[in-house]
Amino acid sequence: EIKIVLGKHSDAIGLLERAVHIYSAVDHSGPAHRKVAGVKECLGRAYQGCLRYGEASRSFQDAFDCSSKRVGAHERNGTHPLTRAEDLMDKGAAGLHLAQTSVAFADYMVAARVYATALKGTNWFGDKLEDNSELAVADCLLGAGTAQAAMGNQWKALELYQEAYQQIYNRTKDDQTLALADICERMASCYVSLGKNGIALDWLT
């Protein structure tokens, strides 16, 4: 992931392929291991950065298929809600790359609802949990907003981005974070699409 952020996509590919191999071999889950889908999604982005679009598409599809199977298994077996939410996030991320935007939106919103409740209250031992729900919910809302923007629903995307902004600010009490800067950029892009360049400029400055 860090290599991708730094633009070192070719370096990232080898590391990510190795990670898939290790996760697939560590237990009986094999390629259905809970970490494989997320790694495959990162691998797809690394391939994209190297202009290897066919391999990128296959990696995104693998990530989507793997996470879809895991989500279905959770629904049948009633596994821990946070595990289900993580797999929904992986499925949503892969779905965005595959232009399955309505599916991605639904997955992100379900994950947001899970995080909003599962990261509060007490744990199995009765100890009060530190409330980490805002940041997790914000991440889901950003994915949902991206899905709405891709579907051309810019006003709905702005609504979700605004909510994500507020969630992060509620947690950090700091309006100078990189996470908020990213949201400002996303909102500006929506306003440009709506022909409201002046408002877009306000969010970028």
Side-chain angles (χ1 to χ4, degrees):
E1 183 75 33
I2 293 174
K3 293 283 189 182
I4 295 174
V5 172
L6 293 174
K8 298 184 177 182
H9 300 102
S10 59
D11 292 343
I13 288 171
L15 294 170
L16 292 166
E17 287 176 338
R18 178 63 177 161
V20 170
H21 175 76
I22 292 171
Y23 284 132
S24 298
V26 293
D27 62 25
H28 68 279
S29 301
H33 186 280
R34 59 184 296 268
K35 292 290 187 179
V36 168
V39 176
K40 283 278 191 176
E41 190 270 334
C42 288
L43 183 58
R45 289 190 283 121
Y47 281 134
Q48 277 187 330
C50 293
L51 308 182
R52 294 163 62 176
Y53 297 117
E55 290 161 294
S57 180
R58 286 191 291 274
S59 286
F60 292 139
Q61 189 64 57
D62 286 346
F64 186 83
D65 292 343
C66 179
S67 52
S68 295
K69 290 177 182 176
R70 289 186 57 80
V71 169
H74 297 326
E75 292 171 353
R76 292 191 301 273
N77 302 328
T79 49
H80 195 282
L82 289 180
T83 304
R84 178 174 175 243
E86 290 170 5
D87 287 326
L88 283 165
M89 290 282 283
D90 287 338
K91 183 170 172 250
L96 286 177
H97 290 294
L98 295 169
Q100 298 200 33
T101 47
S102 59
V103 173
F105 172 73
D107 289 335
Y108 278 120
M109 294 306 292
V110 173
R113 290 193 290 272
V114 172
Y115 282 132
T117 56
L119 291 175
K120 295 181 180 180
T122 58
N123 62 18
W124 291 341
F125 303 104
D127 301 318
K128 184 174 177 58
L129 293 170
E130 180 182 0
D131 186 356
N132 292 310
S133 59
E134 289 101 338
L135 298 181
V137 170
D139 202 16
C140 298
L141 294 174
L142 287 177
T146 301
Q148 287 292 332
M151 289 188 282
N153 301 326
Q154 306 299 334
W155 288 114
K156 182 61 178 179
L158 284 166
E159 178 184 324
L160 292 163
Y161 290 153
Q162 288 264 24
E163 190 176 348
Y165 187 105
Q166 193 62 52
Q167 292 276 353
I168 294 172
Y169 182 76
N170 288 346
R171 178 65 177 174
T172 65
K173 305 301 182 186
D174 182 358
D175 62 359
Q176 300 295 314
T177 66
L178 290 175
L180 293 185
D182 173 62
I183 296 176
C184 290
E185 185 177 350
R186 292 173 190 240
M187 293 181 68
S189 178
C190 287
Y191 279 117
V192 168
S193 296
L194 291 167
K196 298 183 179 295
N197 296 332
I199 300 176
L201 186 60
D202 289 341
W203 280 100
L204 292 172
T205 57

